[in-house]
Amino acid sequence: MDSRRDFLQKLGLSAIALPLIPLSGLASSVENFGERYDGPVLRVAIMGLGGYANRVAEAMQSCVRAKLVGVISGTPGKITTWQSKFNIPEKNCYNYENFDKIKDNADIDVVYVITPNALHHDQVIRVANAGKHVICEKPMALNAKEGKEMVDACKKNNVKLLVGYRMHFEPKTLEIIKMRKNGDFGKVMFFQGLCGFKIGDPSQWRLNKKLAGGGSLMDIGIYAVNGARYMVGEEPTWITAQETKTNPVVFKEGVDETIQFQMGFPSGAVASCLSTYNMNYLDKFFLTGEKGFAELQPSTGYGPIKGRTNKGELTHPHLTHQTVQMDEMAQIILEGKQPVVPVDGEEAVKDMKIMDAIYLAASTGKKINLKG
C-alpha cells in the first residue's frame, strides 16, 4: 500500500460499480437526477497529474457544472496521455515553467493544484497572480504562515481560493452536522477521530520532510483535525499531543509516524484523535452528546461512507465525492453559493494553525493554548 490515496481507494472499491449521479445541487441531487442543466460551467485546469488528479479527472466526467479543460505538468508524456484521454486542446497545456501564461487564456477559469504539499504555496500564489481562481488540495500549505500568504495573495488578485475538503459535501457527514445543529445530540461532550494506515514505499515524497512538511498528520491526520471542528461545531482552545516513533529509519526527523492529540473546546467538549502511518483499519469518527451519538466508519474514505446515530442507520445514497465537490465548488465560484461547511482558504488556515500547535505540543510536551 503505497499511499493514503491507495488506502482510501481500496476502501472505496465497492463503490466503483455504483452509478454516478449528475448533480444540480447536493441537497436535491437525487430528486433532480437526469435533469438538464443549462447554466454556467466552471472550466478547470489540473496541476500535477498523479494518482489523485486522475481520480478527480475521472469523477469530473460526470459533473454538470464543472469541466476539465486544461493540464499543467512537468512530465510531457503525462500531458500527451491526458490530452488523448480527456480531449484537452494543446493551447490549454502548460508546464511548471510557463503556466503563468494562463493569464492570457480566457478558456480557463480555475486551476486545481494537486502537487506535493511543499509546492502548494508558490504555485497557488503564481496562479493567483495570473488572475485565475484556485482550488488547492489539502493540506493547503506546510504551516499557517504559508497558508495566510496564499489567502492574502488571492485576495489581492481578487480571485477565490478553495481547498479540496470533499467531506464537506458528503451527505451522511452533512446529516450529522444538521442533527447536531438541531440539538438532536444535546450538549456535545466528546469527539474521537481515528485516521491511519500502514504506509508503503519508504522513498515516496510523503516521507520526505522537505516535500510533505511532516508525516501522517499532514497527510491523513488533517481529516481528524478538520472533522473535530465541523462535528463539534466549535474551534478548539487548547491542544496537547504525543508522538510515537517505532521506526526512525523510515520515519526520519520531522516525519511523524504516529501522533495522538487532544483538543478542548469552549463548551467543555473534548476530542481525542490519532493519526498514524503504522496501523491499518483506522477511519472512524465518533461524536457523543448528552442525548445521543453519531458514528461514521469509514468516515473519510472514498466511499461508501457508513454512518449511524442513536436514531438509526444513515441511508443516504453514495455519490462520488470528487464529482460532488467539483459541482459544488463551481457554484461557490460562479454563483457565490455558501456551503454548509466552508471550503475557503480561511477555513484551511484554521486547520494549519491547529496542526502547527499539535507539532509544537508533541515536541515540547506542553499544553498549547490557542488564540481566538
Side-chain angles (χ1 to χ4, degrees):
M1 191 174 298
D2 292 334
S3 71
R4 163 175 60 92
R5 291 174 180 125
D6 291 332
F7 163 71
L8 294 176
Q9 184 174 4
K10 286 180 172 61
L11 282 178
L13 282 177
S14 60
I16 291 177
L18 294 175
L20 298 178
I21 299 178
L23 302 176
S24 57
L26 180 60
S28 57
S29 58
V30 177
E31 293 85 344
N32 291 338
F33 178 76
E35 180 178 304
R36 182 176 178 83
Y37 174 72
D38 293 317
V41 173
L42 185 71
R43 298 164 300 177
V44 181
I46 290 181
M47 178 186 295
L49 307 183
Y52 188 68
N54 272 275
R55 177 172 284 272
V56 171
E58 291 282 2
M60 285 185 66
Q61 303 311 295
S62 298
C63 286
V64 296
R65 297 176 184 269
K67 180 181 180 181
L68 176 62
V69 300
V71 294
I72 302 168
S73 174
T75 308
K78 287 185 178 181
I79 293 177
T80 301
T81 299
W82 278 55
Q83 279 187 272
S84 176
K85 186 175 182 179
F86 299 109
N87 194 29
I88 296 170
E90 180 68 30
K91 67 182 182 63
N92 291 351
C93 299
Y94 301 87
N95 58 44
Y96 294 127
E97 285 70 45
N98 68 10
F99 74 80
D100 307 272
K101 294 180 180 179
I102 60 171
K103 71 178 180 180
D104 300 318
N105 191 332
D107 293 334
I108 294 174
D109 300 313
V110 61
V111 175
Y112 193 163
V113 177
I114 312 179
T115 55
N117 306 339
L119 306 180
H120 293 175
H121 173 267
D122 290 352
Q123 289 171 341
V124 166
I125 290 175
R126 283 177 65 185
V127 172
N129 288 339
K132 301 297 181 180
H133 301 297
V134 194
I135 302 170
C136 181
E137 193 45 41
K138 62 189 182 307
M140 72 179 302
L142 298 186
N143 51 57
K145 178 179 180 294
E146 282 193 356
K148 186 177 185 306
E149 290 171 355
M150 293 156 70
V151 169
D152 291 345
C154 289
K155 286 183 176 179
K156 178 182 177 181
N157 287 283
N158 197 31
V159 297
K160 287 184 170 65
L161 170 58
L162 306 181
V163 179
Y165 289 116
R166 59 188 167 82
M167 303 313 299
H168 292 199
F169 307 113
E170 196 281 316
K172 295 181 180 71
T173 300
L174 290 175
E175 180 64 22
I176 291 174
I177 292 171
K178 179 181 177 181
M179 292 177 68
R180 188 253 301 155
K181 288 181 176 179
N182 288 341
D184 291 354
F185 308 128
K187 177 180 170 62
V188 174
M189 306 295 291
F190 174 74
F191 170 80
Q192 180 187 48
L194 304 177
C195 303
F197 65 95
K198 276 184 172 290
I199 200 164
D201 180 9
S203 66
Q204 64 180 279
W205 70 261
R206 288 178 181 83
L207 297 175
N208 182 330
K209 165 72 172 176
K210 290 183 178 179
L211 288 175
S216 68
L217 181 66
M218 294 290 284
D219 188 27
I220 196 165
I222 187 172
Y223 283 103
V225 171
N226 189 249
R229 295 175 49 233
Y230 63 65
M231 294 284 275
V232 174
E234 301 178 42
E235 298 299 327
T237 55
W238 58 260
I239 301 285
T240 53
Q242 306 81 37
E243 180 179 0
T244 302
K245 187 171 294 192
T246 64
N247 190 342
V249 175
V250 173
F251 304 101
K252 297 178 175 59
E253 181 68 27
V255 179
D256 49 286
E257 174 186 328
T258 300
I259 288 188
Q260 298 175 75
F261 57 96
Q262 302 78 40
M263 294 184 274
F265 297 87
S267 65
V270 293
S272 178
C273 304
L274 182 144
S275 170
T276 184
Y277 270 159
N278 198 34
M279 290 176 253
N280 283 330
Y281 315 116
L282 291 175
D283 185 11
K284 177 181 177 180
F285 285 178
F286 180 79
L287 182 77
T288 189
E290 291 181 331
K291 294 165 56 178
F293 75 90
E295 181 181 68
L296 293 171
Q297 187 176 15
S299 57
T300 63
Y302 293 147
I305 300 301
K306 295 182 179 181
R308 65 189 180 103
T309 74
N310 53 290
K311 295 187 176 183
E313 184 180 358
L314 299 175
T315 58
H316 304 71
H318 172 71
L319 306 173
T320 300
H321 296 174
Q322 294 80 7
T323 305
V324 178
Q325 172 190 308
M326 296 309 294
D327 268 340
E328 289 284 309
M329 286 184 165
Q331 291 185 78
I332 294 169
I333 291 173
L334 297 177
E335 303 170 25
K337 181 177 180 179
Q338 296 298 312
V340 173
V341 184
V343 292
D344 54 44
E346 286 87 350
E347 169 78 1
V349 170
K350 292 176 182 178
D351 281 343
M352 297 310 304
K353 288 180 178 178
I354 294 170
M355 291 166 73
D356 287 349
I358 291 171
Y359 280 127
L360 181 59
S363 65
T364 63
K366 297 180 179 179
K367 180 179 181 180
I368 307 300
N369 293 310
L370 299 174
K371 298 178 181 179

